[in-house]
């Protein structure tokens, strides 16, 4: 039973346009959400996070939006660049402590075309 | 640069032959994690160490063990690898277990012959 779902396995976007990656979750106890980016043959790299007390967090070209009532979060990349082409993983956790382990989605492969 | 290093990057072993994967970190983080990731799947947590305190996930097979001799190093031992254990193994670290991001190594790709 997947608690974190990324329903789009892939997304293709033109350079300069906005990329929107989506993530849904089922556990209402999740209170911290993260996005990771992964290039082939490399480990996931932390990108941006958001606490459940916020609905938006922005870092340069990357913005994460959280809609708690819909149990949905999204990552916006504006403008998209070819170097953004990678697999993006959404992850969530319940608080701290040993119970607060990260639960990952299966990832969305983003391709940004020049 | 502070980082998480996994060795080797690629490991081939025979069915049933014990294998050890290595992870070291220069971040001085007190938590170290081991994940298994199969193709097109989400990374799955196997276990983690909070300092010397070992925390095993309920569904991690007994075939998988771990050792953390000091803050910097953590090992994943697979006692009798089966064909189903072929996967990417990712090590990660974090500063505490609160709302802190985990920092990953580049992984070890394990193949079973």
């Amino acid at each position: 039973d997947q608690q974190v779902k990324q329903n789009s396995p892939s997304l293709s976007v033109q350079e300069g346009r906005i990329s929107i990656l989506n993530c849904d979750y089922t556990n209402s106890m999740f209170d911290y959400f993260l996005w990771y980016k992964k290039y082939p043959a490399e480990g996931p790299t932390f990108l941006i996070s958001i606490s459940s007390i916020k609905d938006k967090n922005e870092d340069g070209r990357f913005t994460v939006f959280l809609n708690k009532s819909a149990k949905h979060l999204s990552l916006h990349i504006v403008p998209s660049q070819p170097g953004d082409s990678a697999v993006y993983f959404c992850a969530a956790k319940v608080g701290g402590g040993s119970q607060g382990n990260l639960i990952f989605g299966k990832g969305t492969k983003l391709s940004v075309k020049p | 640069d502070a980082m998480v290093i996994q060795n080797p990057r690629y490991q081939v072993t025979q069915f049933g032959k014990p294998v050890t994967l290595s992870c070291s970190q220069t971040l001085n983080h007190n938590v170290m994690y081991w994940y298994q990731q199969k193709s097109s799947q989400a990374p799955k947590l196997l276990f983690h160490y909070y300092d010397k305190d070992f925390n095993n996930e309920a569904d991690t097979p007994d075939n998988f063990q771990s050792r953390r001799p000091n803050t910097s190093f953590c090992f994943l031992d697979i006692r009798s690898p089966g064909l189903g254990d072929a996967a990417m193994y990712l090590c990660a670290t974090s500063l505490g277990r609160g709302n802190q991001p985990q920092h990953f190594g580049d992984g070890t790709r394990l193949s079973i012959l």
Side-chain angles (χ1 to χ4, degrees), chain A residues 70-90:
Chain A
K71 296 192 182 71
H72 178 84
L73 68 156
S74 60
L75 175 68
H76 293 211
I77 307 174
V78 182
S80 302
Q81 300 172 354
D84 296 328
S85 297
V87 177
Y88 289 78
F89 290 95
C90 169

Side-chain angles (χ1 to χ4, degrees), chain B residues 71-111:
Chain B
T71 301
S72 301
F73 285 88
C74 195
F75 301 98
L76 169 62
D77 301 308
I78 309 177
R79 291 191 299 191
S80 181
L83 297 178
D85 296 329
M88 174 70 81
Y89 289 88
L90 295 164
C91 174
T93 73
S94 69
L95 186 64
R97 290 182 296 198
N99 288 351
Q100 303 281 347
Q102 293 180 17
H103 300 268
F104 285 82
D106 285 338
T108 294
R109 169 78 59 192
L110 179 65
S111 299

Side-chain angles (χ1 to χ4, degrees), chain A:
Chain A
D1 181 29
Q2 277 186 272
Q3 296 187 64
V4 177
K5 299 178 185 179
Q6 294 178 256
N7 291 320
S8 299
S10 63
L11 174 68
S12 183
V13 171
Q14 204 69 31
E15 181 180 6
R17 299 288 188 114
I18 184 172
S19 295
I20 300 176
L21 297 122
N22 293 304
C23 179
D24 297 296
Y25 61 95
T26 57
N27 188 343
S28 58
M29 298 298 290
F30 286 145
D31 63 0
Y32 184 58
F33 304 87
L34 307 90
W35 284 94
Y36 283 84
K37 177 170 75 173
K38 186 183 183 303
Y39 292 120
E42 293 184 13
T45 301
F46 170 68
L47 200 56
I48 192 168
S49 65
I50 187 166
S51 166
S52 60
I53 61 173
K54 294 186 174 182
D55 54 18
K56 176 183 174 182
N57 189 26
E58 192 172 351
D59 184 1
R61 296 185 298 114
F62 303 91
T63 303
V64 56
F65 294 92
L66 176 63
N67 182 335
K68 288 187 289 294
S69 60
K71 296 192 182 71
H72 178 84
L73 68 156
S74 60
L75 175 68
H76 293 211
I77 307 174
V78 182
S80 302
Q81 300 172 354
D84 296 328
S85 297
V87 177
Y88 289 78
F89 290 95
C90 169
K93 69 181 298 192
V94 178
S98 61
Q99 290 72 33
N101 294 319
L102 281 182
I103 308 296
F104 283 85
K106 290 186 177 182
T108 296
K109 184 176 182 179
L110 173 66
S111 299
V112 180
K113 301 188 183 307

Side-chain angles (χ1 to χ4, degrees), chain B residues 20-96:
Chain B
T20 294
L21 309 182
S22 169
C23 178
S24 64
Q25 56 129 342
T26 60
L27 295 161
N28 205 31
H29 285 171
N30 52 348
V31 193
M32 294 187 77
Y33 307 81
W34 279 103
Y35 288 85
Q36 179 192 64
Q37 186 181 21
K38 296 188 176 180
S39 181
S40 301
Q41 297 295 314
K44 180 180 179 299
L45 182 66
L46 296 173
F47 26 58
H48 75 274
Y49 273 95
Y50 185 88
D51 293 324
K52 293 186 178 181
D53 181 27
F54 178 70
N55 297 270
N56 198 30
E57 292 302 294
D59 56 354
T60 298
D62 293 340
N63 201 23
F64 291 84
Q65 304 286 321
S66 186
R67 295 169 283 136
R68 189 178 186 188
N70 53 53
T71 301
S72 301
F73 285 88
C74 195
F75 301 98
L76 169 62
D77 301 308
I78 309 177
R79 291 191 299 191
S80 181
L83 297 178
D85 296 329
M88 174 70 81
Y89 289 88
L90 295 164
C91 174
T93 73
S94 69
L95 186 64

